[in-house]
Amino acid sequence: MKGTSGTPATPRGPGTSVTTGTIDVLVVDDDFMVARVHRTFVERVEPFRVVGVASTGEQAAHAVDELHPDLVLLDLYLPDVFGLDVIPRLRTAGHDCDVMVISAAREADTVRGAVRHGVVDYLLKPFEFEDLRARLERYAVQRGRLLATVVHGQADVDRVLAGATVPASAVGSLPKGMSVETAELIERTLRTAEGTLSAAECATLAGISRVSARRYLEHFHTIGNADVTLRYGAAGRPERRYRFQG
């Protein structure tokens, strides 16, 4: 088990990242190259930091014991156990870390099993950085809401349980680094478009960079306010096209 720099990670007590504002992540994958990519992706998203990497279920359990991460990115096809079987072991040991599955497993029974085990998200391999970033940002928003919630009555409980539902407007609680003004601009551009828009087309119409446009479009897709379709060309990756659904 190693830290982000390749040296042993520094153990910390439960709750440390709450006070520092960071969200500590343990990456679990039996392929060290894949784990390295996942670690790099995670560390590009604030306020996440990778505190350790494990390649087996046994290593994962020991890493959680030692590092107390807030979130575990869990592969399912591990060499010693099936990934979902790690979760009951963590709960029995008293760990309340969240688990996000990252796997190539597409079987319906596996997905249902992951839901029953309380995973916060399920991302299929292979994926792009934007796919993971959108899910991490959504998780960060929901986690912040849960940590800040004070329950005075049923309305507060309902608000917590509805945290993963679609907000009334695409411009609601935005991830760090996004502005309300740009989100409103992208929303207007999508709303007034005839048909679907690619990120490049949206960027041209809105007068911003393609990278920025795609980030906002993917955010809208994540929260359910934009539908995505794929347009396949003669060669290369399919083009992602967006339509506003709010």
Side-chain angles (χ1 to χ4, degrees), residues 36-101:
R36 181 180 298 177
V37 171
H38 292 178
R39 181 175 69 184
T40 301
F41 281 178
V42 170
E43 291 181 337
R44 291 172 60 186
V45 184
E46 294 185 356
F48 295 87
R49 67 177 178 183
V50 175
V51 294
V53 176
S55 59
T56 68
E58 189 68 21
Q59 287 181 10
H62 286 303
V64 172
D65 283 337
E66 180 182 355
L67 302 173
H68 301 281
D70 303 300
L71 177 65
V72 177
L73 301 188
L74 181 65
D75 185 21
L76 297 185
Y77 295 136
L78 300 175
D80 55 343
V81 296
F82 188 58
L84 291 182
D85 294 333
V86 175
I87 301 177
R89 176 171 175 177
L90 299 180
R91 302 300 178 234
T92 300
H95 298 297
D96 62 353
C97 54
D98 293 314
V99 176
M100 181 183 300
V101 169

Side-chain angles (χ1 to χ4, degrees), residues 72-135:
V72 177
L73 301 188
L74 181 65
D75 185 21
L76 297 185
Y77 295 136
L78 300 175
D80 55 343
V81 296
F82 188 58
L84 291 182
D85 294 333
V86 175
I87 301 177
R89 176 171 175 177
L90 299 180
R91 302 300 178 234
T92 300
H95 298 297
D96 62 353
C97 54
D98 293 314
V99 176
M100 181 183 300
V101 169
I102 296 183
S103 176
R106 288 169 165 78
E107 298 81 8
D109 286 345
T110 299
V111 177
R112 285 193 293 268
V115 172
R116 285 194 296 270
H117 281 86
V119 303
V120 297
D121 215 324
Y122 194 114
L123 180 57
L124 287 174
K125 297 178 181 178
F127 58 88
E128 298 181 4
F129 167 64
E130 292 294 339
D131 297 318
L132 179 59
R133 173 158 67 176
R135 283 163 173 78

